[in-house]
């Protein structure tokens, strides 16, 4: 063989070896599970069969007056939801970031979506998302509770996006059930202390006037009075704050959750919980409310209808779900750790959304409940539709075939609620993917769709339209006790 040919062969062999070793390293890396930094690698998700794909990505159709948009933002180790109310009012619920060292201190073997080199922090991603979909300042920011993944990015976001009013559970004293000492709270408190007077309030229970929508949209009726817009009513219900419920008062005392010896408590159980009602549609946001982690699956499998709040430990999931009543769409409390059978019996959501950022989300128990035919679905179909902002590789490995029930497992999840066709004035939005009209829609019904967006905020999947039944169901059912 000539020397130049030998050189070519040797070079080709060397190149093959490099490629082979790189491929082997990649396979070994994925087989072992992605590291803290690798979890933000979108090239992995784009190749995953679980990542929704679309040959023709398109922007989300712009919000219009009368639309109610709910954006579940995928932003690293944060749970964050952006609401655009029918009159344009904007509301951000939570903005968090897991700090350095959290995994080593609390997570054990868990992996977490984190700020990998070259990627933006959770706070920066939230800012980008909010400013893309909201022109001008945010009207409201709500912090459901004082855990890092829900509050730590609030100062960052608020420094870059002006806002009207901040609402949380503890202002001004932050002393229930004791002085708040949660990780990252000192930075949040310093931020609050620096706000102008009137910029922050403790959230009020019930049909609150703190979060206002559609109040000033009136026009002269020609007779000296005012005509309200031909639009279904909208309201925000604050179901729970701390250990107090709007419908039931104080169900527990501070001593029930406080470890006096340590001066600590489970902050998740003090989460604010909200419900939003628009026409026939209702939506539930429960923060990280938590149930009694006791033989839940055993009770369900043997047909026992016993509610978890009969146990001696504190359960904030069950009374919160009962206070909400039936809803069309619900987020899963505490990234799925805070759901029980009573949660699904009370809410009966057609659509359930997991906001995940850690490798133990969703839990196997939650997957069993989500897919159980023994638990009701609002429309009577027993066919619940599941979405997630993120499910990690480890969760796929441990969850088994039930995780395949999720329609999407990576991406921003946007719920868009349309006003009834009789008041929307057109058929805009009620078309399927082929621009065909929905089959015989009721003109007085409320419909909604679910859109999945990628990191470029392009629509990669579209589901629905679904008909809303929550209001009709609640009016036909006796109040939960």
């Amino acid at each position: 063989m000539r020397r130049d040919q030998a050189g070519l062969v040797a070079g080709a062999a060397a190149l093959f070896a490099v490629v082979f070793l790189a491929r082997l390293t990649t396979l070994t890396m994925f087989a072992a599970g992605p590291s803290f930094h690798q979890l933000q690698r979108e090239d992995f998700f784009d190749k995953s069969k679980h990542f929704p794909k679309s040959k023709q990505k398109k922007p989300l159709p712009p919000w219009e007056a009368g639309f109610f948009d709910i954006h579940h933002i995928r932003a690293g180790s944060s749970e964050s939801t952006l609401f655009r109310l029918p009159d344009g009012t904007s509301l951000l619920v939570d903005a968090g970031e897991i700090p350095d060292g959290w995994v080593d201190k609390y997570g054990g073997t868990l992996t977490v979506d984190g700020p990998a080199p070259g990627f933006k922090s959770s706070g920066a991603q939230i800012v980008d998302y909010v400013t893309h979909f909201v022109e001008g300042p945010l009207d409201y920011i709500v912090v459901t509770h004082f855990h890092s993944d829900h509050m730590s990015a609030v100062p960052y976001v608020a420094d870059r996006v002006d806002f009207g009013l901040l609402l949380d559970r503890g202002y001004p004293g932050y002393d229930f059930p004791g002085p708040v000492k949660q990780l990252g709270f000192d930075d949040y408190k310093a931020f609050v202390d620096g706000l102008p007077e009137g910029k922050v309030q403790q959230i009020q229970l019930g049909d609150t006037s703190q979060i206002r929508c559609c109040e000033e949209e009136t026009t002269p009726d020609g007779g000296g009075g005012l005509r309200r817009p031909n639009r279904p009513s909208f309201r925000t219900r604050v179901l729970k704050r701390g250990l107090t419920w709007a419908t039931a008062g104080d169900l527990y005392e501070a001593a029930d959750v406080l470890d006096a010896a340590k001066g600590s408590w489970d902050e998740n159980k003090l989460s604010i919980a909200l419900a939003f009602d628009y026409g026939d549609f209702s939506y539930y946001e429960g923060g990280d409310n938590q149930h009694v982690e006791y033989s839940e699956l055993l009770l369900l499998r043997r047909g026992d209808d016993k509610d978890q709040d009969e146990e001696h430990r504190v359960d904030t999931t069950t009374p919160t779900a009962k206070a909400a009543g039936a809803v069309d769409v619900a987020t899963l409390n505490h990234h799925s750790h805070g759901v029980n059978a009573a949660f699904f019996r009370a809410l009966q959501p057609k659509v359930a959304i997991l906001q995940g950022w850690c490798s133990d989300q969703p839990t196997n128990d939650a997957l069993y409940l989500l897919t159980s035919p023994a638990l009701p679905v609002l429309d009577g179909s027993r066919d619940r539709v599941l979405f997630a902002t993120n499910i990690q590789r480890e969760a796929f490995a441990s969850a088994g075939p039930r995780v395949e029930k999720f329609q999407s497992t990576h991406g921003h999840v946007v719920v868009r609620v349309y006003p009834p066709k009789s008041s929307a004035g057109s058929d805009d939005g009620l078309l399927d993917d082929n621009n065909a009209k929905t089959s015989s829609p009721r003109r007085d019904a409320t419909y909604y769709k679910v859109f999945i967006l990628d990191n470029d905020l392009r629509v990669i999947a579209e589901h629905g339209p679904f008909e809303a039944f929550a209001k009709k169901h609640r009016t036909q059912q006796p109040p939960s006790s």
Side-chain angles (χ1 to χ4, degrees):
M1 181 181 296
R2 291 187 334 208
R3 182 174 299 177
D4 55 345
Q5 291 177 321
L8 288 173
V9 171
L15 179 61
F16 174 80
V18 169
V19 171
F20 176 79
L21 289 173
R23 180 62 174 163
L24 180 62
T25 302
T26 300
L27 291 172
T28 304
M29 177 183 70
F30 283 162
S35 70
F36 181 80
H37 292 318
Q38 291 159 0
L39 288 172
Q40 290 231 1
R41 285 186 46 154
E42 292 305 322
D43 58 336
F44 163 69
F45 292 127
D46 285 340
K47 295 175 182 177
S48 169
K49 69 176 182 178
H50 303 289
F51 194 87
K53 294 180 175 64
S54 174
K55 293 181 179 179
Q56 294 181 342
K57 296 182 180 181
K58 55 186 179 181
L60 181 70
W63 174 91
E64 298 177 12
F67 289 1
F68 174 32
D69 285 1
I70 310 166
H71 299 254
H72 306 83
I73 304 171
R74 181 190 174 198
S77 59
S78 174
E79 177 168 328
S80 188
T81 310
L82 173 67
F83 295 79
R84 193 83 185 273
L85 308 189
D87 67 347
T89 298
S90 56
L91 164 68
L92 183 68
V93 175
D94 290 336
E97 181 111 52
I98 292 299
D100 293 340
W102 183 91
V103 174
D104 294 336
K105 186 173 182 180
Y106 299 105
T109 60
L110 299 177
T111 56
V112 173
D113 271 358
F119 288 87
K120 292 184 176 181
S121 67
S122 295
Q125 293 176 61
I126 294 169
V127 168
D128 287 348
Y129 195 100
V130 169
T131 54
H132 181 86
F133 287 105
V134 177
E135 296 181 3
L138 284 164
D139 293 295
Y140 303 97
I141 298 176
V142 174
V143 175
T144 58
H145 63 294
F146 304 127
H147 274 163
S148 297
D149 58 321
H150 294 257
M151 94 182 148
S152 289
V154 168
Y156 181 96
V157 173
D159 283 345
R160 291 157 179 81
V161 181
D162 194 15
F163 69 97
L165 182 63
L166 172 66
L167 301 168
D168 65 28
R169 74 164 187 84
Y171 182 83
Y174 297 105
D175 54 4
F176 180 85
V180 178
K181 302 176 182 178
Q182 305 297 326
L183 184 67
F185 179 76
D186 288 345
D187 291 337
Y188 174 80
K189 180 63 163 51
F191 161 73
V192 168
D193 289 343
L195 292 175
E197 184 177 356
K199 198 81 168 174
V200 57
Q201 298 176 8
Q202 184 184 67
I203 199 165
Q204 301 302 306
L205 292 166
D207 296 337
T208 178
S209 61
Q210 285 178 308
I211 301 174
R212 301 182 179 184
C213 173
C214 310
E215 291 189 348
E216 299 178 359
E217 295 187 10
T218 55
T219 56
D221 62 6
L226 294 176
R227 178 187 297 112
R228 294 201 173 274
N230 184 20
R231 178 179 300 163
S233 60
F234 183 95
R235 66 172 178 165
T236 302
R237 291 181 284 148
V238 181
L239 307 170
K240 173 184 176 287
R241 182 196 66 225
L243 294 175
T244 304
W245 281 261
T247 55
D250 296 328
L251 296 182
Y252 301 102
E253 299 178 355
D256 293 327
V257 297
L258 182 62
D259 184 334
K262 298 180 180 178
S264 61
W265 58 88
D266 184 353
E267 177 66 18
N268 292 318
K269 295 184 178 182
L270 303 182
S271 290
I272 290 168
L274 305 168
F276 299 85
D277 304 321
Y278 185 42
D280 294 336
F281 176 88
S282 291
Y283 171 90
Y284 169 86
E285 160 60 63
D288 279 2
N289 276 290
Q290 186 65 42
H291 68 96
V292 177
E293 298 186 54
Y294 172 74
S295 54
E296 174 67 34
L297 297 184
L298 175 63
L299 294 174
L300 183 67
R301 286 167 177 157
R302 73 186 187 195
D304 193 335
D305 199 41
K306 176 181 177 184
D307 282 336
Q308 292 288 307
D309 59 351
E310 294 178 19
E311 301 301 322
H312 296 298
R313 294 174 59 191
V314 173
D315 167 22
T316 61
T317 289
T318 301
T320 304
K322 288 181 175 181
V327 300
D328 298 282
V329 179
T331 57
L332 301 179
N333 292 351
H334 196 192
H335 322 281
S336 82
H337 286 266
V339 298
N340 58 6
F343 174 93
F344 290 102
R345 293 190 187 107
L347 297 178
Q348 304 182 43
K350 173 66 175 179
V351 171
I353 299 172
L354 167 68
Q355 293 168 280
W357 52 261
C358 191
S359 56
D360 64 347
Q361 304 161 0
T363 67
N364 287 334
D365 284 4
L367 283 171
Y368 181 90
L369 296 170
L370 283 163
T371 58
S372 171
L375 295 174
V377 179
L378 193 59
D379 63 0
S381 68
R382 304 283 175 175
D383 182 20
R384 209 180 312 279
V385 187
L386 312 179
F387 300 94
T389 56
N390 185 30
I391 297 181
Q392 293 189 13
R393 172 178 287 275
E394 291 87 348
F396 281 112
S398 64
R402 287 193 179 94
V403 77
E404 301 289 345
K405 297 290 185 179
F406 279 85
Q407 298 299 306
S408 69
T409 56
H410 301 96
H412 311 288
V413 180
V414 181
V415 177
R416 170 162 288 173
V417 187
Y418 303 93
K421 290 167 65 65
S422 58
S423 52
S426 73
D427 291 340
D428 291 347
L430 293 180
L431 304 176
D432 64 19
D433 293 333
N434 297 315
N435 288 329
K437 291 185 178 180
T438 58
S439 57
S440 302
R442 292 194 301 111
R443 294 201 62 81
D444 61 343
T446 306
Y447 291 90
Y448 62 98
K449 282 186 173 184
V450 180
F451 300 88
I452 311 302
L453 310 185
D454 64 10
N455 275 1
D456 296 322
L457 307 184
R458 310 282 288 184
V459 175
I460 52 179
E462 182 177 324
H463 302 266
F466 305 98
E467 183 174 349
F469 290 99
K471 181 180 179 180
K472 179 180 179 181
H473 183 88
R474 287 199 305 271
T475 57
Q476 293 176 344
Q477 298 293 320
S480 298
S481 59

